[in-house]
Amino acid sequence: MGLGGFAVERARAQETIPTFVVKWADIRDFAEEEMFPGGVAAGDTIGNDGLPDIAVGTSSYDLWQNNWIDHNQPGKITVLENTGYWAGDTTGLTIFQQLFLPTTAMVSDIAFADVDNDGDLDLVAVAARTTELGGAEEPGLYVFERRINPELNQNDFKDEFAYYGFGTYAMHGLRGMAVADFNNDGYVDVAAAVDGFDYFEDNPNQILGGDKVYLYQNKGGTQAGLFELKPPYEFNFYDSNNNLLDFNTHEIVAADFHRLTLGQPRLDLVTANMQDGFSISHMRNTGNNASGIPIFQSTRVVPCSDPPILNIHDLAVARFRSGSSHEDVAAFLPGLALVLRGNSRGEFAYDCDTNPNDPFSSPSAYFLEAAGCSPCGASTATLKTGGIATGHLNGGTKPDIAASACGEYVAILLGKGDGTMQFDCTQNVYYPTVSPAPTNIFAHTVVRLLIVDMNQDGFGDIVTVNNTSSGPMGQRPYVSVLLNQLNVGGGQ
């Protein structure tokens, strides 16, 4: 034991390094379509065949770099059916349906969830906004109901979405979301990260009150699948002096980070503070009030002294220590992956005592791009898009990590079962490409990714949503599936 209850095991033997074969799918309506990819989700929503299907959100606005691509294209969600046919040159994915948001709603995150408890996975999306359209934007929560009725020959998602507004506008609106049952009533709710960054420069006469989390509560019962912003639905971030914080809240994950000794577990939140140095925020679920609404209390968590770096872009949750019941967090920064070990009290360890003056010297930090790394080398980006995911890449029960690296590459970090990862940035074998040859003439960016077993062979595959920002096709979003080539039983 060490670091106040953060259990650490001894490292295990060398982990088997998987190799991958790349499949890909175009998600454009037409060859000239220029869209920027956003969220990605996986779930068995088509056919109930045990094969995970994929949904991808795209928008005409790059939420990361704040750049317009095309003013006239609406936010879009493309649902891809997993056909199960992955042999040879077959991609295994085919477009099932395309769903559209208003032209002024920019898809920032999506998820499959059974919001109405009918046994079918619906689609949930949160949308951001920009000020460039003159105030007619429609950020908020969008729900597309899954519709299956053989008698009426219906097997799709309803085009008519249910829209739940945003209340007070923010500069960028909703960023990430977590879909879970936060008040233990048996119905999933939506917690959405609200980015109020730079709002005061736009309209100093209207006070937003910093970044926050909005809770869209599922009404449940006969109104299951309908949501409401039921006060108190806004939960702000505060420093130790009770001052409101505004640090570009970007991504959000849910788990039982502050475990109770008695009573029913309550799901808490952790947010990525994109412009607050090296920090996350833990939002503890303190329980329901008299109206059945969970109340969250925030704590800014700085695992050790703030280094001069911004932009924690993405988060993922796993238990990286074999036999541990504590939830850990994997975080992605440009060119860097971090492992933060939880202790079920809302605290996270990062081995700061390695060198308190250099947090990046910690064994919990993994450089994906640095001098001497191959194929990436040193990164100069500070606002680069990227994501991180957890899952099992080489069999067994020890969670692994996949993270965006430079250009067309994904970095794979293999869990040892002791809270550390097997990774060597000088070895190309840890950097599979998302680019199906010979299309590597493009400049690629891996925007978001998942670890999911697409062909049900017992080994996790990597699904990435990529942006191609140059080349003869222009701005081109597409999906890559990196099929794991390990044989069943060959992992550790």
Side-chain angles (χ1 to χ4, degrees):
M1 301 291 286
L3 296 170
F6 296 89
V8 179
E9 297 181 23
R10 194 175 357 177
R12 307 296 177 91
Q14 181 81 2
E15 298 293 324
T16 302
I17 304 173
T19 58
F20 300 88
V21 170
V22 182
K23 309 286 185 175
W24 72 289
D26 200 335
I27 55 175
R28 297 171 300 161
D29 282 323
F30 51 92
E32 294 78 22
E33 180 182 9
E34 295 191 342
M35 300 283 274
F36 191 86
V40 59
D44 180 14
T45 186
I46 305 168
N48 292 320
D49 52 8
L51 296 173
D53 308 297
I54 300 295
V56 179
T58 52
S59 298
S60 58
Y61 189 77
D62 178 350
L63 291 169
W64 299 81
Q65 303 289 356
N66 299 329
N67 294 325
W68 274 106
I69 301 169
D70 187 334
H71 289 263
N72 299 315
Q73 297 184 38
K76 183 179 74 172
I77 299 173
T78 302
V79 183
L80 299 163
E81 180 179 2
N82 185 347
T83 65
Y85 300 108
W86 294 96
D89 296 330
T90 308
T91 67
L93 293 175
T94 184
I95 293 180
F96 175 76
Q97 190 175 357
Q98 292 181 323
L99 304 164
F100 296 92
L101 278 63
T103 56
T104 54
M106 313 302 168
V107 182
S108 52
D109 203 2
I110 60 175
F112 286 117
D114 185 5
V115 300
D116 49 10
N117 283 14
D118 66 352
D120 301 316
L121 293 179
D122 310 293
L123 256 175
V124 181
V126 288
R129 67 179 280 268
T130 177
T131 59
E132 294 191 32
L133 288 180
E137 298 82 359
E138 298 178 76
L141 173 66
Y142 290 80
V143 178
F144 295 87
E145 181 184 347
R146 185 74 167 99
R147 178 172 56 183
I148 301 176
N149 189 332
E151 294 182 359
L152 299 178
N153 197 29
Q154 292 176 334
N155 180 20
D156 60 3
F157 292 90
K158 287 185 179 180
D159 292 323
E160 303 82 10
F161 52 75
Y163 170 65
Y164 302 92
F166 183 68
T168 306
Y169 274 169
M171 169 64 177
H172 294 127
L174 304 183
R175 292 282 193 164
M177 69 172 169
V179 182
D181 181 8
F182 292 106
N183 58 354
N184 292 326
D185 65 352
Y187 301 93
V188 295
D189 311 299
V190 177
V194 179
D195 171 17
F197 178 62
D198 282 350
Y199 182 84
F200 301 106
E201 295 180 11
D202 270 5
N203 187 351
N205 296 319
Q206 188 173 2
I207 297 176
L208 175 65
D211 288 3
K212 60 188 70 180
V213 167
Y214 273 14
L215 180 65
Y216 291 86
Q217 188 169 347
N218 196 324
K219 292 185 176 181
T222 59
Q223 294 182 298
L226 302 178
F227 292 84
E228 60 182 338
L229 287 173
K230 189 175 181 180
Y233 59 84
E234 300 182 39
F235 301 98
N236 289 89
F237 300 91
Y238 298 92
D239 63 16
S240 58
N241 295 318
N242 207 35
N243 297 314
L244 283 172
L245 296 175
D246 182 8
F247 39 48
N248 198 345
T249 303
H250 199 84
E251 191 51 77
I252 184 170
V253 290
D256 191 2
F257 295 111
H258 198 289
R259 189 160 296 134
L260 302 175
T261 55
L262 298 173
Q264 190 174 9
R266 297 195 291 257
L267 294 180
D268 312 296
L269 298 168
V270 165
T271 65
N273 304 336
M274 189 173 168
Q275 294 188 328
D276 186 39
F278 176 33
S279 82
I280 57 177
S281 287
H282 169 243
M283 303 198 78
R284 180 186 176 189
N285 186 343
T286 63
N288 299 344
N289 64 10
S291 300
I293 302 172
I295 305 299
F296 293 92
Q297 294 180 349
S298 71
T299 303
R300 180 174 177 264
V301 180
V302 183
C304 48
S305 60
D306 281 338
I309 192 168
L310 304 176
N311 305 322
I312 294 183
H313 279 193
D314 200 13
L315 301 171
V317 178
R319 296 180 181 179
F320 291 112
R321 293 158 289 171
S322 299
S324 171
S325 62
H326 304 310
E327 306 290 353
D328 306 315
V329 172
F332 172 83
L333 295 82
L336 190 68
L338 310 175
V339 174
L340 310 176
R341 302 192 308 274
N343 66 353
S344 297
R345 297 199 298 271
E347 300 168 337
F348 296 88
Y350 178 73
D351 298 326
C352 300
D353 54 346
T354 303
N355 184 347
N357 296 319
D358 182 12
F360 293 153
S361 68
S362 166
S364 298
Y366 301 88
F367 281 94
L368 315 178
E369 303 175 52
C373 289
S374 177
C376 291
S379 172
T380 59
T382 58
L383 286 172
K384 187 177 64 176
T385 303
I388 197 166
T390 58
H392 300 286
L393 293 174
N394 57 1
T397 59
K398 291 174 283 188
D400 308 305
I401 290 174
S404 304
C406 59
E408 65 185 65
Y409 296 102
V410 169
I412 57 172
L413 295 78
L414 305 176
K416 297 181 181 180
D418 63 350
T420 66
M421 314 303 293
Q422 175 183 305
F423 178 70
D424 184 348
C425 80
T426 68
Q427 302 296 314
N428 287 350
V429 70
Y430 289 99
Y431 290 92
T433 177
V434 305
S435 175
T439 62
N440 54 10
I441 57 174
F442 302 111
H444 302 266
T445 301
V446 178
V447 179
R448 280 289 188 263
L449 67 166
L450 301 170
I451 297 177
V452 58
D453 188 357
M454 295 297 291
N455 55 1
Q456 296 299 287
D457 66 350
F459 292 91
D461 309 301
I462 303 174
V463 179
T464 69
V465 181
N466 318 305
N467 181 56
T468 300
S469 57
S470 65
M473 300 302 291
Q475 194 89 15
R476 179 183 186 181
Y478 70 96
V479 175
S480 291
V481 178
L482 283 64
L483 282 181
N484 198 323
Q485 297 301 290
L486 284 179
N487 293 323
V488 175
Q492 295 184 15

